[in-house]
Amino acid sequence: MKYLTLLMLLLTIVESKPIHTDREQTSLNINDNKRKDYSQYNLIRCDTTYNNNNNININFDDLWMKNDDYMEFMVHENDIDSYKDCKMLGNIQNMINEEFESMFFDNEEEEKDLFDDVDDDDVLIKHSLENDISIDTLANPFFKRYRNLEEIYQYMDELAYKYANLVRLENIGTTYEGRDLKAMHISAHDPISHDPNGPEKLKKTIVITSGLHSREWATITTTLWIATKLASKYSTYKKETNYLDNLDFFIIPVFNPDGYEYTWNDDRLWRKTRQQTFHPRCFGIDLDRSFDFHWQDNENPCSPSYSGSSPFESLESKLLNDYLFEKKHNSPDFKLHGFLDFHSYGQEILYPYGFSCDLQPRDLENLLELSYGMARSIRLKTKENYQVMPSCKDKGSDLIPGFGSGNALDYMYHSKAYWAFQFKIRDLGEKGFLLPKKYIKPVGKENYAAVKHFCDFILNPEL
């Protein structure tokens, strides 16, 4: 009752006067009646073979996560008796309330031993003369909690202003609801790589995306952490200087702005875009099933995994494809060298393919070497284990053939990129999509270590 009273008082204040935290305005409608209520749903964990052994058909629309050992999904309280042998992880509405309440109260302990701002392999080129490190990750208040879309775009503006010689904001296009889809182009702004040991050549391009599924908030802070590290350490640290001198990064932190905004104001667990479908009451397309490689129509626009009525019907996926391969880089010589797509959750590094476990990817040996190398980098940084597996096992294509069709990883790898991976960041399922804010920094740090390994790999002159 104490916290409820405080919360109601705070909400009364919010209605009369804006609250500014860390110089930024916070807008949270945690007790708004229009928000979807999940109080009748629980998150449960079952053995992966539970449905086969018990003749129960699990609704894959309610599936949150699946690996070789277990799967987690939402269950309505009326159906809970069918899952007596499964582990109950908690009431979903209570988990949502805890997450939003933590936005107001800084009562969580950070893992301070993980937040040193120097990585083990950092080599200084010069000592920075700047005393203002607020834009960098360690002392940056931006990473103390999750941020709404306005705050995220404001932060991207700040990065572009502070590091104008490295960061350019580029507008990819406009979403269904009229929001800008923004990318950060991060590189030393010379399109030619001047290698003192070799000939001049076009820089290799890496595309990093997150937030395809709007409820996966922690992926967005992770890619923003990566962008901040790349820009802030250039010219001071050897690795970042080498990366930006020889690579072009296109980072899209919020690939689904309409859906992301909807998770803040209406439905915290919303997954899709907010695009109109042929059903007047069913909105949204699953971005990670809308790409034009083994695309498959699942026919149900009310499903959280609805793929649209045709490939690239989703405005966002089409905008990215047009931006990269028609407008931005229309040279026939252009080819992506890397595509990294961040999702949550499950602590996995996934390599192609997702649509089927029958087709083996080209360069499988390199994909495995790179995957295990990135997993090792994470383990060395924060002692967390990320499992390496083909995407089809995560996406359920081993249970339902074609269930993972039309995903971005497969499309980019098969059609556009030399190497492509999907990351499933923390956790292993205790909080799932509702990862507490205290994990923002360690998750950013461990995945940046993986990105550095990836960059070192593709800058290998023998590749």
Side-chain angles (χ1 to χ4, degrees):
M1 289 299 295
K2 177 180 68 174
Y3 287 109
L4 181 58
T5 303
L6 283 171
L7 191 56
M8 293 302 294
L9 176 61
L10 191 55
L11 287 169
T12 302
I13 297 172
V14 168
E15 290 177 356
S16 60
K17 183 179 180 180
I19 291 178
H20 295 269
T21 303
D22 306 325
R23 298 177 292 114
E24 296 167 296
Q25 181 173 332
T26 305
S27 59
L28 299 172
N29 305 314
I30 65 174
N31 205 31
D32 194 326
N33 289 332
K34 73 175 183 177
R35 292 186 60 85
K36 183 169 181 178
D37 180 33
Y38 286 92
S39 58
Q40 294 183 308
Y41 289 87
N42 290 281
L43 182 63
I44 69 170
R45 176 184 294 177
C46 300
D47 183 271
T48 300
T49 60
Y50 184 83
N51 58 325
N52 296 330
N53 297 336
N54 294 273
N55 295 318
I56 294 174
N57 292 321
I58 292 174
N59 183 358
F60 275 78
D61 283 346
D62 293 331
L63 184 69
W64 279 28
M65 190 269 278
K66 173 188 170 296
N67 60 27
D68 286 340
D69 300 318
Y70 57 85
M71 52 188 171
E72 296 181 353
F73 46 92
M74 292 195 306
V75 174
H76 193 277
E77 59 184 18
N78 292 341
D79 301 321
I80 205 72
D81 289 341
S82 299
Y83 302 93
K84 294 178 180 177
D85 297 330
C86 298
K87 181 180 180 181
M88 303 297 154
L89 298 178
N91 178 269
I92 289 177
Q93 188 59 48
N94 289 342
M95 295 165 68
I96 292 173
N97 291 343
E98 289 173 7
E99 178 188 54
F100 275 102
E101 286 173 13
S102 74
M103 297 288 194
F104 292 112
F105 304 107
D106 289 326
N107 58 357
E108 297 185 50
E109 288 295 322
E110 295 180 343
E111 300 177 23
K112 293 183 174 59
D113 60 320
L114 298 178
F115 297 161
D116 61 288
D117 205 35
V118 179
D119 296 322
D120 296 337
D121 57 356
D122 273 347
V123 177
L124 272 170
I125 296 175
K126 63 179 182 180
H127 289 283
S128 175
L129 299 178
E130 294 185 1
N131 294 319
D132 179 16
I133 61 170
S134 63
I135 199 69
D136 203 356
T137 50
L138 177 64
N140 192 338
F142 180 86
F143 294 103
K144 291 179 65 176
R145 59 175 175 80
Y146 296 108
R147 305 289 174 165
N148 63 29
L149 186 65
E150 180 182 358
E151 292 173 310
I152 289 169
Y153 279 177
Q154 179 183 347
Y155 182 73
M156 292 166 64
D157 287 337
E158 291 174 3
L159 279 179
Y161 176 78
K162 185 173 179 66
Y163 303 105
N165 60 322
L166 301 172
V167 181
R168 288 199 300 252
L169 291 189
E170 301 185 10
N171 190 6
I172 295 177
T174 304
T175 66
Y176 179 80
E177 294 185 337
R179 296 182 176 87
D180 291 334
L181 183 57
K182 294 186 178 183
M184 286 183 288
H185 179 192
I186 304 179
S187 184
H189 288 158
D190 185 342
I192 302 296
S193 170
H194 299 281
D195 184 353
N197 300 317
E200 294 183 351
K201 54 189 177 181
L202 287 173
K203 292 183 178 181
K204 296 179 177 180
T205 299
I206 298 174
V207 172
I208 301 176
T209 57
S210 60
L212 275 77
H213 295 144
S214 49
R215 62 191 178 187
E216 298 171 6
W217 289 7
T219 66
I220 295 169
T221 52
T222 297
T223 54
L224 288 169
W225 179 283
I226 291 166
T228 304
K229 281 289 191 180
L230 288 171
S232 65
K233 298 178 78 172
Y234 179 79
S235 80
T236 302
Y237 290 93
K238 183 176 181 179
K239 278 186 175 291
E240 284 74 13
T241 303
N242 185 44
Y243 299 156
L244 298 191
D245 281 343
N246 294 283
L247 297 171
D248 271 333
F249 294 87
F250 288 92
I251 302 179
I252 307 171
V254 190
F255 201 163
N256 181 3
D258 293 348
Y260 185 67
E261 189 74 0
Y262 195 73
T263 62
W264 280 77
N265 300 318
D266 295 85
D267 182 352
R268 174 61 183 88
L269 297 178
W270 185 258
R271 170 186 171 94
K272 302 184 289 181
T273 68
R274 293 295 300 165
Q275 189 170 331
Q276 179 67 64
T277 69
F278 65 83
H279 192 298
R281 294 187 179 181
C282 295
F283 289 81
I285 297 172
D286 183 348
L287 279 174
D288 208 29
R289 285 182 168 83
S290 67
F291 287 80
D292 192 11
F293 180 71
H294 283 270
W295 176 89
Q296 184 170 300
D297 184 1
N298 60 6
E299 298 180 347
N300 181 8
C302 300
S303 167
S305 57
Y306 177 58
S307 58
S309 58
S310 62
F312 289 128
E313 182 184 5
S314 163
L315 289 176
E316 292 80 3
S317 58
K318 186 178 189 306
L319 286 170
L320 175 63
N321 191 67
D322 292 349
Y323 170 80
L324 287 176
F325 308 116
E326 292 183 14
K327 299 175 183 176
K328 193 69 184 174
H329 290 289
N330 53 13
S331 167
D333 298 325
F334 170 72
K335 189 173 178 67
L336 284 183
H337 278 73
F339 175 70
L340 304 177
D341 184 23
F342 284 86
H343 287 256
S344 63
Y345 58 98
Q347 298 187 202
E348 298 167 351
I349 298 176
L350 307 174
Y351 58 88
Y353 286 99
F355 81 96
S356 173
C357 290
D358 296 331
L359 180 63
Q360 290 295 314
R362 67 178 188 275
D363 301 328
L364 178 59
E365 183 177 345
N366 277 336
L367 287 172
L368 289 172
E369 177 186 347
L370 191 42
S371 297
Y372 283 107
M374 291 188 291
R376 181 176 182 272
S377 296
I378 290 173
R379 191 166 58 251
L380 290 175
K381 184 58 59 180
T382 58
K383 299 182 175 60
E384 291 293 321
N385 289 315
Y386 278 54
Q387 186 179 2
V388 172
M389 67 169 66
S391 176
C392 61
K393 289 189 175 182
D394 171 83
K395 293 186 178 298
S397 299
D398 54 337
L399 299 179
I400 301 177
F403 190 71
S405 295
N407 68 81
L409 171 65
D410 287 2
Y411 173 76
M412 291 294 183
Y413 176 73
H414 181 81
S415 307
K416 307 296 182 182
Y418 286 112
W419 293 287
F421 299 90
Q422 185 181 101
F423 285 74
K424 290 290 186 75
I425 63 171
R426 295 200 209 181
D427 58 10
L428 288 172
E430 293 303 319
K431 295 295 184 180
F433 301 122
L434 307 171
L435 190 70
K437 64 181 183 181
K438 69 178 180 179
Y439 295 109
I440 290 175
K441 292 182 179 181
V443 169
K445 189 163 191 173
E446 68 198 18
N447 283 282
Y448 181 61
V451 170
K452 289 177 68 175
H453 182 89
F454 182 79
C455 293
D456 292 338
F457 183 90
I458 70 170
L459 285 176
N460 183 335
E462 296 180 0
L463 296 176

